[in-house]
């Protein structure tokens, strides 16, 4: 011990000489290429050793597993550029006693007609032909439409409901003694409120929808389409999408789409509803084109999640005509139907060095957490913890011990600096 | 010192024997479960100690604070699937001396009518009835529409402006001596350029818009709607959105929407404009459904950010008719109004082990930066820096010192390897 | 060596005394501010030293380079809020012997007319005027439209193709002996299948499209528009977009757009096609507004990527009329044209402390990987590997060696714990 102290003191006294003696630059250059490596204490303690290896294996295993399964080594692009073109085919005839023979083609039932990703297919409708601007009775079903003996109709614009401007008069119905409907100035006669219980375009179940989706990941300059690329010109006009048999045939039967959402077509067709057609592209560009397929899923969009209320999807449009005298008349359509929202999502991943390094760096850092844990066990729980602590930590005291005797008690290897009295 | 050297030399000479003596496999197995832990030097220097603890606390505190407030422990999904259904209600009458009584309902003023997330509500219009394909004077306001005495009208298609094909003739106006307008072949008479100063559908302020938004986070299989789910059937038809009282009533008054953007409805209604209705879903799925609410905000989209110029939103459409002889005539509408873009954004976060580990790993690594900083202070700034450096670093010299005397000066504990002369 | 052992033993026997002697709290407080720093072994091995510095430089250089070029110090927002307003200008006349003089203005050829980000510009069309609901021959080109002698026409709705309801009868054509077409009940006469080989609105090449794009990054409260903000009122009506001369003029010539996708306008105009106009905003908010410009690119969306098949974009719409007796007739338009999808993408980055710390933390951790590699070289490849290993690792044996003689062979500095016999 005294030898060590002596050597240490000699070092302290002489330590600055060689630095001053040799060129500082040379010294710096020399030490710059010394390799510094942590000094380790090996605790040949099988318990902590096994604990450490187990922790190490768990961390490496978990991080590695996550690394592989989550493809953490890939740069991911989620900002997909997508273009959707749709085309609906099918013709339906309606032969009612009211209106005679009618034909509905795509130019009528697809709204808007221009083949975009959001389209509405009419499946049921209320037609009110030959409306003229006139004075007539409001619909009985409209809020504030009914009135009683005291002629309590409001006057003016109908803000939230109603078919025209209320004149303030109450029209009594002969068959009801005490209730009537308010008179309005508007398009008369007003629309009847009752839609058909059977969807008038029920055969829309057999309509086919062609969905062409072109996607592009701009950062990776990668683009693909969901349409089967074949030289066989008869393939597309005749195929129908089937997840297993024809996954690349982009032609869907409307009835199949509804069925896949778990609903009945005829129910939806009567009151209308909204369907989401989700096209998901999950592309792994490291493994070539073959790993980039469109995956379709179909969900109903307009159901309340908790209350199972009846929903409906409808809107109105009118066709305007002029008679020989130049006066307007119109046919009003209230259409019920199926709204299709084609939503495209996707991501593409390709190996990239940056996320890889970030993930590896984090993994290495996590291994440090294992060391920390084992240190705790070794230094605070093991039987020989004090001895381990003494060996692991080497103390340098900054100030002189008060009683500097050679028989001093030490808990750790200690070096005392700044002592006026020379060490023994 | 000589004792240490001697022991060291003894070790060096005998170090290979036991390895060869015992089975290498057993040895490897044995050392595999040794626990290696870094040897630390404890500098009992209160200044560096406090500095280190302060740095450590700062890093842990900051990283922890960021970890909690930014929910870094969550996997975040931003690819929200959204479906928006809109329905506008309200009826407005116009009674002008020109056109007589007119009624505008949603089937007329909502364009397109099919209840999507992008809709236009007509608030002002210029109607040009009974246009026929004919020859007439171009509008005075159109670029290149005016001409002078020298009959300088171009011939042909009007590419960027104008209402028809210029014939090349200049029609002089009687009240203006030297200017006229070019003659065109087109739909005549041309539209007058002046819109009404008072929005003709000014009462549109009271229209209500029902906005149903259904969202879904596909990775978390979580879906929600912005509509209050109640059994009370009279709630929806009567409520109006209010941030405090009715946050789940999805019915908005058009005037309120404009007011919330900081503009006056009547100003916007006259020339038109674009409004963004932003629905933001910021869902914390760790705390259940209650932490996932729609947050509405309303911004005006079409203002230039620096120059406060007047903007306008308008477009034209026509209704076509045929007269008894089969000739086309039409009514042209130039409509001004409010375009509503309903934009849905959102993200959902749920606890996930991967981002947690990445963030923890980075945090641990950052603690190393604190150590690095304190080492710099200890080894380069502290008074006893040389002593500390000597204790921290233990030098192994690879080559023999030139003058191998027992009185050599050492800055660090040194071990010389590969010396031909035996050490003292 | 014996001195060291003795001192060590003395320490072991007396180590608990001072801890018990002083207040534990004071002790904990005292040690809490001791600074613990790893003890390093300096291997003055120039090869490993250089290797280590090279690795260190590579890691720091690469991480730093990535850090700067990828702006890893920025928080990035990709959820851009965007509003697009479009307006097409241009008038085209068609003077055919069939239909006489016709004028197509934006109100006719832009579908839908309301100035949204998805628009269709008609460039070619098949007009079928004066269709009435009647019985007539199906088009010869329709699938299942042809029939032979055996009168094999199906009856009923045409699901995927066809213009009406098949009556089941086969109409023989006089000029063809063995083939005819099936009779249908529908809008008669049916549309002729052949479109014009020269696009009837070929002059659409000169149409101009004004695209106003307003974007907003909600997290950064940053918004911008693609329109040049100038007080000069004559700038916008007269400018045309040019990447170099007028990058902030948002007015595009339709022909230029097609040309930039690498296709010929007249080819596309004849059969139709889909074009994507991508506006990319890559905003670096750290360097002010000047670093946030819209970047336009134009791609054709509807080409198959491998098979170079001819594509087409068309749909149908009808204008309905009533004759004096109240019967419907219509003009059917099958329109071919150019669909424009204006897609806005963008991201904004701004300095943020969180990603910075995560990246720095990972970088520090990666430096540890360099140390690990150099340790492998030093301890397993270098000539003096055993000596290095002996110096780097300090062994603490947990159990007593079997033959505890003073001449025992040691591979590493060893301390034996738990020995019943007192060490020498």
């Amino acid at each position: 011990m005294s030898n060590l102290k002596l050597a240490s003191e000699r070092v302290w006294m002489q330590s600055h000489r060689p630095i001053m003696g040799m060129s500082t630059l040379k010294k710096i250059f020399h030490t710059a290429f010394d390799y510094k490596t942590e000094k380790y204490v090996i605790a040949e303690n099988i318990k902590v050793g096994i604990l450490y290896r187990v922790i190490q294996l768990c961390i490496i295993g978990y991080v590695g597993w996550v690394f592989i399964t989550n493809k953490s080594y890939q740069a991911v692009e989620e900002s997909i550029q997508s273009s959707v073109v749709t085309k609906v085919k099918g013709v339906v005839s309606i032969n009612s006693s009211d209106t005679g023979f009618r034909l509905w083609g795509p130019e009528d039932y697809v709204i808007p007609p221009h083949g975009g990703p959001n389209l509405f297919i009419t499946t049921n409708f209320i037609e009110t032909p030959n409306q003229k601007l006139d004075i007539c009775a409001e619909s009985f079903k409209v809020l504030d439409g009914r009135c009683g003996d005291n002629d309590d109709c409001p006057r003016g614009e109908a803000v939230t409901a109603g078919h025209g401007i209320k004149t303030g008069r109450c029209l009594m119905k002969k068959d009801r003694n005490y209730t009537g409907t308010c008179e309005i100035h508007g398009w008369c006669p007003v629309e009847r409120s009752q839609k058909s219980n059977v969807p008038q375009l029920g055969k829309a179940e057999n309509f086919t929808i062609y969905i062409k989706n072109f996607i592009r990941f701009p950062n990776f300059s990668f683009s693909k389409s969901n349409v089967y690329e074949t030289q066989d010109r008869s393939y597309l006009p005749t195929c129908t999408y089937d997840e297993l048999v024809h996954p690349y045939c982009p032609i869907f039967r409307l009835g199949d789409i509804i069925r896949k959402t778990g609903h009945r077509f005829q129910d939806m067709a009567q009151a209308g509803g909204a369907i989401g057609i989700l096209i998901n592209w999950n592309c792994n560009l490291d493994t070539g084109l073959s790993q980039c397929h469109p995956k379709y899923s179909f969900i109903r969009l307009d159901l309340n999640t908790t209350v199972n209320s009846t929903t409906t999807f409808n809107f109105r449009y009118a066709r305007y005509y002029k008679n020989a005298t130049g006066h307007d008349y119109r046919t009003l359509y209230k259409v019920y139907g199926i709204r299709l929202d084609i939503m495209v999502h996707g991501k593409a991943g390709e190996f990239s060095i940056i996320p890889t390094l970030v993930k590896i760096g984090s993994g290495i850092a996590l291994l440090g957490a294992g060391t920390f844990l084992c240190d705790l066990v070794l230094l605070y729980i093991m039987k020989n913890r004090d001895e381990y602590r003494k060996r692991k930590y080497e103390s340098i005291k900054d100030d002189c011990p008060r009683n500097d005797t050679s028989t001093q008690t030490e808990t750790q290897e200690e070096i005392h600096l700044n002592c006026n009295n020379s060490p023994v």
Side-chain angles (χ1 to χ4, degrees), chain A:
Chain A
M1 197 67 195
S2 55
N3 270 356
L4 196 69
K5 282 263 171 82
L6 194 64
S8 164
E9 174 64 8
R10 215 164 53 215
V11 167
W12 171 238
M13 288 165 67
Q14 293 162 347
S15 60
H16 290 81
R17 197 146 47 93
I19 301 177
M20 293 165 190
M22 64 200 301
S23 151
T24 315
L25 216 71
K26 191 177 163 193
K27 164 95 183 154
I28 287 173
F29 175 80
H30 204 251
T31 55
F33 291 106
D34 287 349
Y35 175 58
K36 296 186 189 73
T37 178
E38 286 101 337
K39 180 152 186 165
Y40 277 83
V41 173
I42 298 185
E44 292 190 6
N45 183 316
I46 196 93
K47 287 178 208 160
V48 181
I50 288 177
L51 177 70
Y52 181 60
R53 290 298 169 191
V54 166
I55 291 177
Q56 219 173 21
L57 273 179
C58 287
I59 294 175
I60 290 176
Y62 185 79
V63 169
W65 178 74
V66 160
F67 194 74
I68 299 300
T69 54
N70 280 275
K71 302 201 183 65
S72 299
Y73 50 87
Q74 289 188 333
V76 173
E77 179 169 32
E78 299 208 12
S79 66
I80 190 173
Q81 289 172 349
S82 160
S83 166
V84 172
V85 170
T86 55
K87 191 158 203 172
V88 185
K89 283 195 173 170
V91 174
V92 159
S93 66
I94 295 165
N95 216 339
S96 76
S97 53
D98 280 4
T99 56
F101 179 81
R102 287 291 170 84
L103 196 76
W104 286 71
E107 62 273 20
D108 305 309
Y109 62 70
V110 178
I111 300 168
H114 59 277
N118 303 302
L119 67 158
F120 172 87
I121 297 174
T122 309
T123 53
N124 203 1
F125 62 93
I126 300 171
E127 187 180 349
T128 317
N130 292 317
Q131 285 190 323
K132 287 181 189 65
L133 281 174
D134 204 349
I135 285 171
C136 58
E138 174 62 287
S139 166
F140 200 75
K141 284 226 172 176
V142 159
L143 202 77
D144 299 330
R146 300 179 212 191
C147 52
D149 271 340
N150 46 358
D151 209 24
D152 53 355
C153 278
R155 286 177 67 108
E157 326 280 325
V159 171
T160 54
H163 297 101
I165 310 302
K166 291 198 177 65
T167 59
R169 282 201 293 163
C170 183
L171 302 176
M172 297 305 288
K173 292 201 174 177
K174 287 180 180 78
D175 58 338
R176 293 167 191 268
N177 290 328
Y178 296 105
T179 60
T181 46
C182 296
E183 192 190 59
I184 57 162
H185 191 181
W187 290 99
C188 291
V190 299
E191 180 186 273
R192 63 185 161 88
S193 316
Q194 201 54 53
K195 63 177 175 294
S196 164
N197 277 328
V198 176
Q200 299 186 68
L201 279 78
K203 285 174 183 164
E205 198 166 357
N206 294 320
F207 289 171
T208 57
I209 305 165
Y210 168 80
I211 299 171
K212 180 161 184 182
N213 179 213
F214 174 90
I215 57 141
R216 191 161 168 269
F217 292 103
N219 289 353
F220 297 134
S221 297
F222 176 85
S223 55
K224 216 188 168 192
S225 156
N226 72 328
V227 179
Y228 188 61
E229 286 158 2
T230 175
Q231 302 285 2
D232 180 4
R233 277 168 169 277
S234 69
Y235 179 72
L236 268 191
T238 55
C239 72
T240 307
Y241 171 78
D242 185 282
E243 207 170 336
L244 300 172
V245 186
H246 294 301
Y248 268 87
C249 171
I251 294 172
F252 300 84
R253 213 178 133 264
L254 186 56
D256 289 348
I257 290 175
I258 310 298
R259 194 171 41 76
K260 277 175 184 155
T261 66
H263 293 85
R264 287 189 58 236
F265 178 82
Q266 297 298 329
D267 295 346
M268 269 196 86
Q270 197 252 345
I275 297 285
I277 300 180
L278 314 174
I279 308 182
N280 193 44
W281 296 84
N282 196 345
C283 296
N284 182 357
L285 302 187
D286 288 335
T287 52
L289 279 179
S290 54
Q291 286 300 311
C292 186
H293 301 300
K295 205 173 144 286
Y296 300 90
S297 50
F298 307 90
I299 55 167
R300 180 142 188 199
L301 293 174
D302 58 350
L303 284 183
N304 287 344
T305 41
T306 57
V307 184
N308 211 343
S309 65
T310 53
T311 54
T312 171
F313 193 94
N314 63 72
F315 61 89
R316 285 181 187 86
Y317 65 88
R319 283 183 189 152
Y320 285 87
Y321 307 99
K322 291 208 181 201
N323 62 15
T325 58
H327 284 96
D328 286 312
Y329 64 104
R330 70 177 194 182
T331 302
L332 180 68
Y333 292 90
K334 182 175 186 180
V335 287
Y336 299 82
I338 289 159
R339 159 139 157 220
L340 297 172
D341 279 357
I342 296 162
M343 299 185 244
V344 181
H345 286 92
K347 61 179 178 189
E350 199 174 49
F351 173 77
S352 171
I353 193 71
I354 303 159
T356 306
L357 288 183
V358 168
K359 299 300 175 354
I360 288 178
S362 292
I364 291 171
L366 278 176
L367 284 178
T371 309
F372 180 71
L373 196 72
C374 289
D375 273 2
L376 286 186
V377 169
L378 190 74
L379 301 178
Y380 293 96
I381 295 173
M382 283 291 126
K383 200 169 59 181
N384 298 318
R385 53 186 176 269
D386 292 309
E387 187 61 22
Y388 284 127
R389 206 180 299 141
K390 193 164 63 186
R391 298 299 299 179
K392 184 176 166 73
Y393 297 116
E394 191 181 304
S395 190
I396 313 172
K397 285 223 179 296
D398 209 19
D399 49 349
C400 261
R402 270 156 308 192
N403 301 319
D404 194 31
T405 66
S406 65
T407 60
Q408 65 172 120
T409 58
E410 293 174 308
T411 55
Q412 286 152 324
E413 297 181 42
E414 289 190 351
I415 311 293
H416 295 281
L417 311 176
N418 298 341
C419 293
N420 294 329
N421 51 339
S422 66
V424 184

